[in-house]
């Protein structure tokens, strides 16, 4: 299926280009190559609509009618798309009752064109009246597709609520489910649309979930509902959803979504519990399945460009200039500081620039300086209204990523941190330090005066390269060593090793988790041993350095 759709997408892009350039000979040749029946098939036409190839849809619908292929579908699409283009009902649509499902769908699509994404209002801001949505089942199924293709999600909810009753898994309802689910990967809803999608999923799921013959489609709907709840920010509802999945793999994916919901709510212990269920379920699954169904939980989920030394110098110069205007001195930290201390340069595996600043009385002055500089894009997704520990910015001219760590004075330490894309905050504490001016990659910069102390607190024996070092698990600077966040990070790192099929990482993480067994909320020795045995992560005892002294949680998570 995926291969066929990929081929269709290539053909659609090619045909759309020929239509736009009005290359008739080229278009005729391309259609002969693809095959007229293939190009006029319901699947191909549907893919064109999902890709918003309006001109191509009109052409193919015309060919359907003139060549007697999918005539009813072709005529319906031709009437609808011509009506949208001309702003009023054309052909058969003009003869339909105004309460007919296709006529209503047309009116809602036209209203959306005038009012924008808030399509539950008519022109002038008036609320659209309830509609009857009458007509044949096949017309309602096509109307739902057309509403979704035109981004009319609120109207799709209204249609589904009118045509679908709870616990009625009729062929019509199943066709509506298929029409809805077939478009999931092509949607680009804005945040305000997601509540409408949640309503659609709920209504369709309530209709089919009680039918033993609809187990497959009900599980798919349930999974998408859970995913949409997490995306829309309704994390409490996501955690409350029952996991009615017969397939162990689906249960594992669903519990992984619940991990994110728990993290976003600050329920770290609950996230650890859900992660144990995920790990227990995936350990025996094939590697291809694991890699296809899960994403690694680190960072912000976005790839970073290849490192460029000349660009890095430009980034540092621009960043220091911008933040100097608000009284901030930018200093090297973490991996960038390690590179300076070892080789007076970036390390070969660096993908971004790590710098620090001290917390200011007016933090938003710093944010405003970055946002209004014209030189950097500030990623606002992880920002907090209370206290921020890390800012992710991108240099516009070079595309290079910069992590800016903000150091806050807490209990005699300077505390910074990272908010993971899963939603939890992990903090690190350092001895306060003076700054010294340095020359780095041909430009002036700042660094902690006591390099050895700062790097030892961050990396332990920093002078010896260690490619497998897991800073979020092993760093002596971790604030809550053995605590809830640390235990969660260990589970997520183990999951990352499984996803990436990384033996060396798995061995390292298992060893760390074994040393954390004495703390509350530790992963069970039985589960850890099972994973280590099944994946070959077991190894003789190695050296994992643990901080000495009393480990107390220094910040509120």
């Amino acid at each position: 299926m995926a291969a066929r759709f990929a081929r269709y997408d290539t053909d659609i892009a090619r045909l759309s280009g020929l239509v736009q350039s009005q290359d008739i000979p080229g278009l005729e040749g391309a259609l002969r190559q693809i095959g007229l029946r293939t190009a006029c098939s319901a699947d191909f036409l549907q893919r064109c609509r999902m890709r918003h190839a309006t001109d191509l849809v009109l052409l193919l619908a015309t060919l359907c009618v003139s060549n007697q292929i999918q005539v009813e579908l072709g005529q319906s699409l031709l009437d609808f798309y011509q009506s949208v283009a001309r702003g009023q009902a054309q052909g058969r649509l003009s003869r339909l009752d105004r309460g007919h499902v296709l006529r209503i769908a047309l009116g809602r699509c036209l209203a959306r064109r005038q009012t924008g994404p808030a399509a539950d209002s008519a022109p002038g801001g008036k609320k659209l009246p309830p509609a009857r949505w009458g007509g044949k089942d096949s017309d309602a199924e096509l109307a739902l597709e057309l509403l979704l293709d035109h981004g009319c999600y609120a109207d799709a909810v209204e249609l589904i609520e009118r045509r679908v009753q709870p616990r009625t898994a009729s062929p019509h309802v199943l066709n509506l489910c298929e029409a809805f689910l077939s478009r999931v990967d092509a949607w680009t809803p804005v945040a305000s649309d997601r509540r409408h999608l949640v309503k659609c999923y709920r209504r369709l799921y309530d209709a089919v979930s009680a039918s033993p013959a609809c187990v497959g489609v009900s599980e798919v709907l349930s999974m998408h509902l859970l995913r949409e709840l997490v995306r829309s920010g309704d994390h409490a509802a996501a955690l409350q959803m029952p996991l009615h999945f017969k397939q162990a793999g689906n249960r594992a994916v669903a519990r992984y979504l619940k991990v994110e919901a728990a993290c976003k709510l600050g329920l770290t212990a609950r996230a650890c519990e859900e992660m144990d269920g995920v790990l227990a379920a995936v350990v025996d699954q094939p590697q291809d399945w694991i890699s296809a169904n899960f994403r690694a939980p680190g960072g912000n989920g976005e790839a970073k460009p290849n490192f460029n030394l000349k660009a890095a110098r430009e980034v540092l110069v621009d960043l220091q200039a911008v933040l100097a205007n608000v009284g901030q001195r930018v200093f090297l930290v973490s991996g960038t500081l390690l590179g300076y201390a070892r080789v007076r340069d970036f390390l070969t595996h660096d993908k971004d620039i790590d710098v620090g600043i001290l917390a200011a009385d007016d933090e938003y002055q710093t944010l405003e300086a970055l946002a209004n500089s014209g030189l950097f894009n500030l990623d606002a997704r992880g920002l907090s209204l209370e206290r921020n520990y890390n800012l992710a910015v991108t240099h516009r001219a070079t595309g290079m990523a910069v992590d800016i760590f903000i150091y806050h004075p807490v209990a005699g330490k300077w505390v910074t941190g990272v908010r993971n894309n899963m939603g939890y905050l992990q903090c690190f504490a350092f001895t306060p330090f003076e700054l010294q001016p340095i020359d780095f990659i041909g430009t002036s910069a700042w660094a902690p005066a006591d390099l050895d102390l700062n790097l030892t607190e961050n990396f332990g024996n920093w002078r010896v390269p260690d490619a497998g070092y897991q800073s979020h698990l092993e760093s002596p600077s971790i604030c809550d060593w053995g605590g809830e966040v640390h235990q969660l990070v260990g589970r997520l790192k183990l999951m990352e090793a499984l996803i990436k099929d990384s033996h060396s990482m798995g061995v390292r993480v298992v060893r760390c988790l074994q040393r954390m067994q004495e703390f509350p909320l530790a992963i069970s020795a039985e589960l850890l041993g099972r994973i280590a045995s099944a994946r070959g992560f077991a190894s003789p005892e190695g050296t994992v350095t643990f901080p000495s002294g009393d480990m107390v949680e220094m910040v509120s998570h």
Side-chain angles (χ1 to χ4, degrees):
M1 182 74 76
R4 177 156 58 93
F5 283 160
R7 187 173 67 252
Y8 282 178
D9 289 345
T10 300
D11 291 338
I12 289 167
R14 179 186 175 194
L15 290 173
S16 294
L18 293 168
V19 169
Q20 290 176 10
S21 64
Q22 299 183 354
D23 183 354
I24 304 303
L27 192 59
E28 290 175 347
L31 285 171
R32 279 195 298 270
Q33 186 178 21
I34 295 168
L36 187 59
R37 290 199 172 275
T38 297
C40 292
S41 67
D43 284 348
F44 196 90
L45 282 165
Q46 177 169 271
R47 201 70 182 173
C48 290
R49 285 149 46 204
M50 290 165 60
R51 292 288 174 259
H52 307 293
T54 303
D55 291 342
L56 183 57
V57 171
L58 284 167
L59 171 65
L60 295 179
T62 302
L63 291 175
C64 284
V65 175
S66 61
N67 290 276
Q68 297 294 298
I69 304 171
Q70 301 276 358
V71 176
E72 185 175 355
L73 173 61
Q75 188 63 61
S76 295
L77 291 177
L78 192 58
D79 291 342
F80 194 92
Y81 276 82
Q82 285 181 339
S83 299
V84 171
R86 296 173 184 175
Q88 61 182 14
Q90 303 291 311
R92 183 173 74 100
L93 284 176
S94 65
R95 299 189 292 274
L96 293 176
D97 180 85
R98 290 187 178 275
H100 191 277
V101 64
L102 285 171
R103 189 70 183 267
I104 297 169
L106 172 62
R108 299 300 172 84
C109 290
L110 291 175
R112 179 182 172 84
R113 292 185 70 186
Q114 296 182 49
T115 62
D120 45 2
S121 297
K126 296 181 180 180
K127 192 74 174 177
L128 291 169
R132 184 161 55 86
W133 300 97
K136 297 186 299 182
D137 288 351
S138 59
D139 288 336
E141 292 153 16
L142 178 59
L144 177 61
E145 293 178 357
L146 291 166
L147 287 170
L148 294 172
D149 292 342
H150 287 81
C152 301
Y153 301 109
D155 306 298
V157 173
E158 189 178 336
L159 184 155
I160 287 174
E161 289 180 342
R162 183 75 183 189
R163 305 282 304 202
V164 177
Q165 301 303 314
R167 305 174 72 85
T168 54
S170 65
H172 175 46
V173 170
L174 291 176
N175 286 340
L176 290 173
C177 289
E178 182 180 356
F180 192 79
L181 291 172
S182 66
R183 280 157 169 72
V184 169
D185 294 335
W187 285 336
T188 54
V190 297
S192 59
D193 291 326
R194 294 200 179 280
R195 60 190 173 92
H196 302 308
L197 296 178
V198 166
K199 288 182 180 180
C200 290
Y201 282 123
R202 283 194 189 281
R203 188 64 167 223
L204 294 171
Y205 176 76
D206 289 344
V208 303
S209 59
S211 172
C214 299
V215 171
V217 69
S218 66
E219 288 202 6
V220 173
L221 286 166
S222 182
M223 185 69 73
H224 282 297
L225 172 58
L226 179 57
R227 185 173 286 111
E228 208 57 56
L229 286 170
V230 173
R231 287 174 175 170
S232 64
D234 196 348
H235 302 119
L239 279 182
Q240 292 169 6
M241 265 194 69
L243 299 180
H244 296 314
F245 294 102
K246 292 186 177 295
Q247 297 181 19
N250 284 343
R251 284 197 301 275
V253 174
R255 295 195 77 166
Y256 198 56
L257 289 168
K258 290 198 171 205
V259 171
E260 182 174 349
C263 287
K264 295 286 173 61
L265 291 171
L267 302 175
T268 314
R270 173 67 183 275
C272 288
E273 176 188 337
E274 297 293 348
M275 270 309 306
D276 287 346
V278 174
L279 291 166
V282 304
V283 63
D284 297 321
Q285 295 288 342
Q287 184 59 46
D288 289 348
W289 183 88
I290 295 174
S291 300
N293 284 277
F294 295 91
R295 60 177 173 83
N300 62 11
E302 297 175 357
K304 296 178 180 177
N306 291 330
F307 204 84
N308 181 290
L309 187 61
K310 182 179 178 182
R313 183 183 183 280
E314 181 182 347
V315 173
L316 277 176
V317 170
D318 285 348
L319 185 62
Q320 291 187 100
V322 168
L323 294 184
N325 290 329
V326 289
Q328 287 282 9
R329 287 192 293 182
V330 177
F331 50 90
L332 307 187
V333 297
S334 194
T336 302
L337 182 63
L338 183 64
Y340 169 75
R342 280 190 188 159
V343 296
R344 294 299 190 264
D345 203 339
F346 288 98
L347 298 175
T348 55
H349 60 269
D350 279 334
K351 293 297 182 184
D352 57 13
I353 302 171
D354 298 320
V355 298
I357 58 174
L358 298 182
D361 292 335
D362 185 357
E363 182 178 297
Y364 292 96
Q365 205 176 39
T366 302
L367 299 177
E368 187 177 30
L370 288 165
N372 296 335
S373 68
L375 299 172
F376 294 92
N377 291 325
L378 174 63
D379 187 347
R381 289 174 295 179
L383 293 182
S384 168
L385 294 177
E386 298 176 357
R387 175 180 286 187
N388 290 291
Y389 292 88
N390 176 260
L391 304 177
V393 301
T394 305
H395 190 241
R396 290 185 181 180
T398 64
M400 291 197 67
V402 185
D403 282 330
I404 305 174
F405 294 90
I406 305 175
Y407 288 72
H408 299 265
V410 180
K413 295 284 188 178
W414 281 358
V415 176
T416 187
V418 176
R419 186 170 296 280
N420 186 275
N421 65 341
M422 295 290 280
Y424 66 85
L425 172 67
Q426 186 177 26
C427 288
F428 307 85
F430 296 87
T431 300
F433 46 84
E434 298 293 331
L435 293 177
Q436 62 172 324
I438 61 170
D439 182 77
F440 183 60
I441 60 170
T443 187
S444 298
W446 295 92
D450 193 337
L451 289 177
D452 180 68
L453 176 60
N454 186 270
L455 291 171
T456 299
E457 289 180 338
N458 201 351
F459 297 102
N461 187 6
W462 60 270
R463 289 181 174 82
V464 179
D466 183 356
Y469 185 71
Q470 298 294 320
S471 60
H472 291 263
L473 270 183
E474 301 178 66
S475 176
S477 64
I478 292 170
C479 285
D480 74 326
W481 194 276
E484 288 188 355
V485 171
H486 196 200
Q487 296 282 4
L488 174 62
V489 171
R491 288 165 166 87
L492 290 170
K493 285 294 181 182
L494 186 54
M495 186 69 187
E496 184 178 345
L498 292 172
I499 294 170
K500 295 179 176 178
D501 195 21
S502 173
H503 178 265
S504 59
M505 181 179 181
V507 170
R508 188 84 172 230
V509 174
V510 165
R511 193 185 304 157
C512 290
L513 289 171
Q514 287 170 339
R515 297 291 187 89
M516 293 163 61
Q517 287 291 296
E518 64 184 275
F519 296 99
L521 212 63
I523 188 171
S524 74
E526 185 276 331
L527 176 57
L528 190 58
R530 180 182 157 206
I531 295 170
S533 176
R535 294 286 167 169
F537 292 165
S539 71
E541 282 295 306
T543 56
V544 177
T545 304
F546 283 75
S548 59
D550 296 329
M551 297 309 300
V552 295
E553 189 164 340
M554 303 189 66
V555 292
S556 171
H557 297 300

